[in-house]
Amino acid sequence: MTSHPLLEVDGLRVAIRRQDTAPTVLDGVSFAVGASQCLGIVGESGCGKSLTLRAVMGLLPPGIERTGGRIRLSLQPGAAPSDVQADQVAGRGLAMVFQDSHASLDPTMRVGTFIAETVRRRGGTSRSDARRRAVELLASVGVPDPKLRFNAYPHELSGGMRQRVAIALALATDPRVLLCDEPTTALDVTLQAQILRLLDTARAERGLGMVFVSHDIAVIRQIADVVAVMYAGQIIEIGPVSDVLDRPRHPYARALIDAVPSLDGPVGPFRSVPGSPPAPIDYGSACRFLDRCGHRDTACEGVVNGIDGRGAGHRSACVHSGTLASGLEAT
Amino acid sequence: MSAGRLRFVVGRLAQVLPVLAALLLIVVLLQQMMPGDPARVIAGPRATAEQVVQVRHELGLDRPVFEQFGRHVWNLLQGDLGTSNRTGIPITAIVGDRIGVTVWLLFGGLLVSTLLATPAALLMALRPRSRSARMCSRALTIIINCPPFWVGLMLASVLALGTGWLPVGGFGVDFGDRVRSMILPSLTIGLAAMPLLARSAAASLSQVLTADHVTTARSLGVSGWPLVRRHLLRNALPPAITLLAIQAAALLFGAVIVEQTFGLPGLGAEMITAASQRDFPVVQALTLIFGLAIIAINLLADLAVALLDPRTTWR
Ligand SMILES: Nc1ncnc2c1ncn2[C@@H]1O[C@H](COP(=O)(O)OP(=O)(O)O)[C@@H](O)[C@H]1O
Ligand SMILES: [Mg+2]
């Protein structure tokens, strides 16, 4: 049996609608996720990680539009992914967990009621069965006293507990693929580890596909199998986690990974490359990292596309990646 | 009721007491601040200086302010609002005669402005870029710049004089006449209050619309009317109610003007008559009633908001 990917994103383009211009913020983003697989996406703040997930969910903020690309989702176990409309997948195959659990849960709804309603939306469940299912879900995400917590409002729960509820809500839709937008960033390290374990368990038990966005390399190393590095609205490197994180090929990926303080070293300032990423309005066809790169030459000024993240293996968009790879590893 | 809500209700009720005291104080001091001497008004223009002093003594106006204050409060607690300087009629009777007109007028105004503002707000919040939303917004700007009495006159000349269906002023004797005589004044007040209400409700709605928790609900597949009912309105209603309460004072002021414009025998018209005739006790009593109404409206609004928002607690 061939194993199809669950989710395939092909050439995703997203633009900001302004009065006179429409700068492209996501430029040909492509990736695929299989069952029980976790794709990590890393990159500096503003590179388009959140917009990627929101575009896939069909939940772009007002004023931002998808201008191209296809999204394919496998809707039945074993089925090949088929084209889906962006406004039809939220809660029907795709679910999402957000960063800020405080702002992302409706303050006027009891968490149990919200989960039960979400269960019932799938149809065929009686009110009392949905309640029972909600209590089970709360228990399964590690909420103690789930019967009691059923009646709690979000503001009555701690941050870690709220994030567990958010995960239970997402799981209540019985998704095929779970999109996670920095779900542990707002939590302290202990809670962070617990939530990562919880997500990992859900993935294994349900055969979930998972896309996990983070700017934290350590978190990605823990949870992802494959990692894509984003820069200025493009995927510039992708590959198995150990390959990319230990032997980065793109100078930007290298800089990003170097900037992470080692686990036992002191937490120093972000030792990043000088300068900052270009604004979307300045995205051109040349390599977008060019101004900050120590390896630039005329080849970098030609057309440099992001890479298609759907293939297997370790690949980089850098025109010099072939020659640089060995040199970078040596330093 | 949760502990937080209970604390809120108790705390909010306790907050009313100093406001009530301040209102009473202002009402008593009003006499001192208003131009003219009530004793002279009562004694009449031909009274001698001694007679005026005599009247002032009889009225207790030569007593210290705090004593007047105490007496006033004592009378109020017994349901005694005093008597009119001009007619000698007990003020409770005057109020009883006229309060109905004002209450119905305010109710009508509120109904009109809510009926007009709700669709306008939904349109402007949910379809902000549509042509109709932009036209709606322009119309609101025009309306908000029209003085209520002028709107009243325009409505009267177009709807009443133009068609002859509605009375231009006055208050009929039978029920049907009275209902018809309330229509134009209610429209006038409602139109005056509507733009601000629509604008703020739209702002509150569109803020909720892009709130993270609404995105979460949509990510779970909630859409259409369930999204509006379960997640948008529940969260947008409390700010709208607070706003409505803040507008209560402006609405009352509007009622005073509109009653005068349309010759309705309500509390507002009485207030203007009493003020122009230096009928101090009536002015005092009506000021007190208007003040109490505003305090009560704000209290009710805050309690309603507390009921709708589970995060409520007393800070
Ligand atoms: N609501 C918005 N309106 C306008 N621009 C936005 C909005 N959200 C994001 N952007 C822009 O899109 C780009 C990508 O943003 P985002 O996906 O949030 O980045 P990340 O999640 O990687 O930090 C940024 O340049 C940001 O300024
Ligand atoms: Mg983000």
Side-chain angles (χ1 to χ4, degrees):
Chain A
M1 182 182 118
T2 54
S3 71
H4 302 289
L6 293 182
L7 171 69
E8 234 187 322
V9 173
D10 178 7
L12 184 65
R13 292 173 64 83
V14 165
I16 305 177
R17 194 172 44 189
R18 298 233 178 93
Q19 295 267 281
D20 38 359
T21 56
T24 299
V25 272
L26 293 183
D27 193 1
V29 172
S30 305
F31 58 84
V33 194
S36 302
Q37 194 194 32
C38 178
L39 168 72
I41 301 181
V42 282
E44 268 169 290
S45 180
C47 69
K49 305 182 296 295
S50 297
L51 287 186
T52 301
L53 297 193
R54 282 175 149 241
V56 172
M57 287 293 283
L59 292 175
L60 286 170
I64 302 196
E65 278 176 352
R66 200 173 118 199
T67 51
R70 289 158 67 175
I71 292 160
R72 306 162 131 247
L73 184 65
S74 158
L75 293 164
Q76 299 295 326
S82 53
D83 280 311
V84 284
Q85 297 293 316
D87 56 355
Q88 287 171 0
V89 287
R92 298 176 189 84
L94 293 186
M96 187 156 167
V97 180
F98 299 85
Q99 174 175 342
D100 180 356
S101 68
H102 179 66
S104 66
L105 292 176
D106 191 327
T108 65
M109 292 203 48
R110 297 179 193 276
V111 297
T113 312
F114 200 178
I115 298 174
E117 280 184 11
T118 306
V119 169
R120 264 171 75 79
R121 196 163 310 109
R122 270 165 37 217
T125 317
S126 74
R127 207 172 279 273
S128 58
D129 280 349
R131 283 179 70 91
R132 208 169 307 126
R133 183 83 191 98
V135 173
E136 282 170 20
L137 275 163
L138 282 172
S140 77
V141 295
V143 172
D145 276 332
K147 278 215 174 81
L148 201 69
R149 292 282 163 39
F150 184 97
N151 289 314
Y153 288 102
H155 75 276
E156 295 167 340
L157 301 175
S158 67
M161 221 40 83
R162 276 198 304 264
Q163 201 56 294
R164 288 174 195 274
V165 168
I167 292 169
L169 269 171
L171 295 180
T173 67
D174 203 9
R176 308 273 288 148
V177 178
L178 186 63
L179 311 181
C180 304
D181 191 0
E182 315 219 20
T184 60
T185 304
L187 304 176
D188 69 46
V189 183
T190 322
L191 285 174
Q192 196 165 2
Q194 290 175 8
I195 297 292
L196 286 180
R197 261 201 306 282
L198 172 62
L199 287 169
D200 213 42
T201 311
R203 162 166 72 128
E205 282 175 357
R206 295 164 171 259
L208 277 181
M210 196 181 306
V211 182
F212 194 103
V213 158
S214 180
H215 63 265
D216 188 337
I217 306 277
V219 166
I220 292 292
R221 198 187 281 278
Q222 257 184 74
I223 192 141
D225 312 304
V226 172
V227 60
V229 182
M230 279 190 80
Y231 185 78
Q234 294 176 328
I235 293 179
I236 51 105
E237 179 156 346
I238 195 166
V241 165
S242 53
D243 291 355
V244 174
L245 298 187
D246 295 338
R247 289 178 293 280
R249 292 184 186 164
H250 196 290
Y252 172 70
R254 173 70 192 246
L256 186 72
I257 290 156
D258 271 358
V260 179
S262 65
L263 273 180
D264 35 33
V267 181
F270 189 74
R271 198 157 43 89
S272 70
V273 267
S276 49
I281 195 94
D282 298 321
Y283 291 173
S285 61
C287 175
R288 294 173 184 181
F289 188 58
L290 169 143
D291 287 340
R292 306 167 78 185
C293 188
H295 303 279
R296 64 177 292 183
D297 63 20
T298 48
C300 308
E301 285 159 21
V303 176
V304 180
N305 290 319
I307 43 178
D308 184 343
R310 285 175 300 171
H314 183 184
R315 285 157 303 133
S316 146
C318 179
V319 292
H320 301 304
S321 53
T323 50
L324 276 178
S326 49
L328 282 170
E329 271 166 47
T331 49
Chain B
M1 197 184 296
S2 76
R5 271 186 192 161
L6 196 62
R7 264 205 305 282
F8 178 85
V9 171
V10 173
R12 186 62 183 79
L13 285 174
Q15 209 182 36
V16 166
L17 295 176
V19 180
L20 275 180
L23 174 66
L24 284 171
L25 194 62
I26 288 171
V27 165
V28 175
L29 287 179
L30 204 59
Q31 202 156 50
Q32 257 73 28
M33 295 185 299
M34 288 220 318
D37 179 353
R40 154 125 345 252
V41 174
I42 291 174
R46 283 197 296 272
T48 63
E50 288 81 42
Q51 283 171 318
V52 172
V53 169
Q54 174 68 20
V55 169
R56 185 172 299 135
H57 181 71
E58 278 167 12
L59 291 172
L61 295 175
D62 52 353
R63 311 301 302 168
V65 170
F66 68 85
E67 196 186 315
Q68 292 186 41
F69 181 71
R71 205 163 39 111
H72 206 108
V73 173
W74 179 245
N75 288 342
L76 285 177
L77 287 177
Q78 296 180 321
D80 179 7
L81 290 171
T83 49
S84 161
N85 268 351
R86 286 273 154 182
T87 58
I89 299 174
I91 297 174
T92 41
I94 299 177
V95 170
D97 265 358
R98 292 168 171 257
I99 197 166
V101 173
T102 304
V103 168
W104 281 113
L105 182 59
L106 288 175
F107 185 75
L110 203 61
L111 191 71
V112 168
S113 65
T114 309
L115 286 182
L116 293 176
T118 307
L122 281 170
L123 178 68
M124 290 190 295
L126 299 177
R127 299 264 175 278
R129 285 163 188 278
S130 66
R131 260 173 70 91
S132 36
R134 285 204 303 267
M135 268 162 55
C136 181
S137 173
R138 239 172 272 147
L140 292 184
T141 310
I142 294 171
I143 296 172
I144 208 169
N145 282 305
C146 298
F149 72 89
W150 183 81
V151 173
L153 290 177
M154 284 299 119
L155 285 174
S157 57
V158 174
L159 288 180
L161 297 180
T163 64
W165 292 336
L166 296 168
V168 184
F171 197 53
V173 274
D174 68 58
F175 181 75
D177 276 354
R178 290 186 168 184
V179 169
R180 288 199 303 136
S181 66
M182 293 301 265
I183 290 177
L184 285 181
S186 296
L187 266 177
T188 308
I189 288 200
L191 272 177
M194 187 270 279
L196 201 62
L197 185 61
R199 279 269 159 74
S200 319
S204 156
L205 256 177
S206 51
Q207 204 166 16
V208 174
L209 203 61
T210 53
D212 286 353
H213 66 80
V214 173
T215 307
T216 305
R218 289 169 60 209
S219 82
L220 297 167
V222 193
S223 60
W225 179 238
L227 184 73
V228 173
R229 192 175 58 86
R230 281 305 255 160
H231 300 284
L232 288 178
L233 289 184
R234 274 266 280 280
N235 283 283
L237 205 54
I241 290 177
T242 305
L243 184 98
L244 210 62
I246 292 171
Q247 267 199 294
L251 214 63
L252 276 180
F253 181 65
V256 171
I257 291 173
V258 165
E259 282 176 11
Q260 186 73 3
T261 309
F262 286 94
L264 290 177
L267 294 180
E270 177 67 21
M271 177 83 148
I272 290 178
T273 313
S276 64
Q277 295 181 348
R278 307 227 182 289
D279 197 341
F280 292 103
V282 173
V283 172
Q284 271 180 318
L286 291 181
T287 308
L288 180 70
I289 287 173
F290 283 150
L292 285 178
I294 289 170
I295 292 175
I297 289 169
N298 279 286
L299 179 67
L300 284 178
D302 283 357
L303 294 181
V305 167
L307 215 63
L308 285 169
D309 187 345
R311 288 167 299 183
T312 306
T313 184
W314 186 248
R315 285 173 298 272

